[in-house]
Amino acid sequence: MWVEMSDPDPKERYVGKVAHPPKVMVWGAISFWGRSNLHFFSSTVNAAEYKKAIKEAMLDYLHDAEWMAVPEGIELTFMQDGAPCHTAASTDQWLEENLPSGWRYTGRGGWPPNSPDLNIIELVWNMLQDKGIEHAAWTEEKLCEVIEDEWWKIPQSVIQELYFQQADKMQLVVDRKGGRIPRVGHTSK
């Protein structure tokens, strides 16, 4: 760390880091109206664990005003990336049987690969990652605690703004024929 010799308190400029920060696997869902509970995985995420997370963290609270708050009868797309547990045949079948009537889901090939900037929840995960660093969550236990706490602190208006920005992002992708896009009004609250 470099500081001016005249700096009265160089320790204030120091930000600690660890060589190998903890990692946790967590699943959560967002909607324009609310968010799911979080599901922390204790092992490798396979199709069975993934389906359990969806049911316990989201579907059980889908219309609850304090959670997902999804209006009854609305048609939505359950968006997921191409992770193997998302595209497994058993997951496809389970989603067909368990998602609300009228819902679609992105399965294999349903969302562009390597496009985290187009997936709204990836921006939310980035916010939580920043909070983990800000709170010096250098143990798995502390990291889980910070993620859980900060997940509920994100104002729903911030998530709604990300949804509002989505159409502009998609148009940029079309205009650039799938090429890189600049950040569109990234909210970092």
Side-chain angles (χ1 to χ4, degrees):
M1 167 177 91
W2 294 93
V3 294
E4 293 288 325
M5 292 294 289
S6 60
D7 192 323
D9 194 1
K11 290 181 181 173
E12 280 189 20
R13 314 304 161 246
Y14 177 74
V15 176
K17 288 177 103 177
V18 294
H20 303 286
K23 295 179 182 179
V24 295
M25 291 293 295
V26 60
W27 184 89
I30 55 172
S31 76
F32 184 81
W33 307 277
R35 67 201 77 189
S36 72
N37 197 358
L38 293 176
H39 181 92
F40 290 89
F41 296 97
S42 58
S43 62
T44 304
V45 183
N46 58 32
E49 284 292 318
Y50 178 61
K51 293 180 285 191
K52 179 181 175 186
I54 295 169
K55 180 180 181 333
E56 292 178 358
M58 185 188 78
L59 290 180
D60 289 348
Y61 304 98
L62 196 60
H63 304 296
D64 190 316
E66 294 182 31
W67 300 81
M68 288 294 288
V70 173
E72 295 274 353
I74 194 164
E75 293 184 6
L76 294 176
T77 298
F78 179 70
M79 203 172 107
Q80 47 185 0
D81 59 25
C85 62
H86 299 180
T87 59
S90 65
T91 299
D92 283 348
Q93 181 180 349
W94 188 88
L95 290 172
E96 287 284 341
E97 295 167 1
N98 290 279
L99 286 179
S101 177
W103 278 35
R104 298 176 306 276
Y105 62 92
T106 58
R108 189 181 317 266
W111 196 253
N114 304 313
S115 300
D117 53 336
L118 297 180
N119 188 335
I120 296 170
I121 200 164
E122 293 298 339
L123 300 173
V124 174
W125 294 134
N126 287 344
M127 290 177 208
L128 294 173
Q129 182 179 21
D130 291 347
K131 292 296 185 179
I133 293 167
E134 180 182 314
H135 290 286
W138 304 133
T139 67
E140 189 173 311
E141 182 181 350
K142 175 73 172 174
L143 183 57
C144 290
E145 181 184 302
V146 167
I147 291 170
E148 181 80 33
D149 189 43
E150 294 295 334
W151 172 254
W152 297 108
K153 287 182 181 178
I154 298 170
Q156 190 61 30
S157 60
V158 169
I159 294 171
Q160 289 172 338
E161 184 59 31
L162 295 172
Y163 276 93
F164 288 133
Q165 296 165 4
Q166 195 68 4
D168 291 340
K169 283 185 181 181
M170 295 301 192
Q171 188 58 54
L172 279 171
V173 170
V174 170
D175 293 348
R176 292 172 180 240
K177 296 179 173 56
R180 290 180 59 112
I181 62 170
R183 283 187 138 174
V184 176
H186 175 67
T187 305
S188 60
K189 292 180 182 174

